[in-house]
Amino acid sequence: MEHSTLSMEQMSAHCSTGLQIGITPFVRVPYRCGEGFVQKVLDAGALGVVFPHVHSKTDAEAAVSISKYPPFGKRSVTGQLPIFQLKPTPTERIIAETNESGSSVILMIETREGVEKVEEIATVPGVEVLLVGSNDLSIDLGVPAQWKSTEFRSALETISKACKKHGKVMGLAGIYEDPEFHSWAINGLGVGFILGQQDSGLLARSAKEVSKALQDI
């Protein structure tokens, strides 16, 4: 929802469909969208929220606070939820199961400041993934889309060390169809969560293939 015109209703339909067919739905929310917006995303069926442009420990703590029920956060409890098939569910079960596996907190590190403070960000309990926003991070570092540059790779190594030290999953977004880089990310950095493509990229690639096939004929 950060870089699209997807509505709350459309997002909820996607999440509900994912839950029905065994796909875990995560939703990336707009930057500084507010606690009320995040609450609605989670109540609508998301099992995790991706928070863009996380710069500090304070940002990380705020993300956990709205995503988790007490005692880990301050999320408000409601009744029927998609994660429980909209069935009436005891509050104790809602809190326990959702805190454990239905409210993943995924923080995007995509600025120089975020990298500089990644050590303290990684210490926050309740944060599961630190996700590198490759495009924005490379731009902020002054090396746009230069994935092999020393500046970019050094930043990723810093994030990797923080993740390993504090038991967080490192994620990678924005670099697609690059086996060499992905191999280094997985085997060298320990990346365990990768965005492999996005809808516009998939559509554009298929369109090019169809166009070329017609031109060849």
Side-chain angles (χ1 to χ4, degrees), residues 68-212:
K68 303 288 185 181
Y69 293 120
F72 305 107
K74 298 180 180 179
R75 178 181 170 186
S76 176
V77 178
T78 185
Q80 285 93 331
L81 290 164
I83 186 176
F84 298 105
Q85 295 79 49
L86 301 180
K87 297 176 181 178
T89 307
T91 301
E92 294 81 3
R93 183 185 171 196
I94 291 175
I95 292 173
E97 293 187 15
T98 304
N99 277 347
E100 175 65 24
S101 59
S103 56
S104 296
V105 176
I106 304 165
L107 308 181
M108 295 196 73
I109 307 299
E110 44 192 345
T111 61
R112 185 186 299 274
E113 182 182 3
V115 175
E116 292 172 349
K117 296 182 179 179
V118 70
E119 178 78 23
E120 63 181 52
I121 291 171
T123 65
V124 177
V127 172
E128 278 89 3
V129 180
L130 297 185
L131 176 62
V132 176
S134 299
N135 286 291
D136 283 344
L137 178 56
S138 67
I139 291 170
D140 202 54
L141 293 173
V143 288
Q146 297 175 38
W147 313 135
K148 294 184 179 180
S149 67
T150 300
E151 294 85 350
F152 184 72
R153 293 205 172 208
S154 294
L156 265 60
E157 288 169 350
T158 298
I159 297 169
S160 172
K161 290 177 182 178
C163 287
K164 291 176 180 177
K165 180 178 179 181
H166 298 286
K168 309 301 183 186
V169 175
M170 182 176 176
L172 180 68
I175 300 175
Y176 305 130
E177 300 171 39
D178 190 333
E180 180 182 355
F181 192 94
H182 285 164
S183 178
W184 174 70
I186 294 169
N187 299 304
L189 300 175
V191 166
F193 180 77
I194 290 181
L195 273 65
Q197 248 300 351
Q198 58 182 358
D199 52 2
S200 60
L202 293 170
L203 290 166
R205 182 177 63 187
S206 296
K208 288 179 181 177
E209 291 175 355
V210 171
S211 177
K212 183 179 185 303

Side-chain angles (χ1 to χ4, degrees), residues 51-69:
F51 293 88
H53 297 285
V54 172
H55 305 297
S56 65
K57 183 177 181 180
T58 300
D59 291 342
E61 290 172 338
V64 172
S65 178
I66 186 54
S67 300
K68 303 288 185 181
Y69 293 120

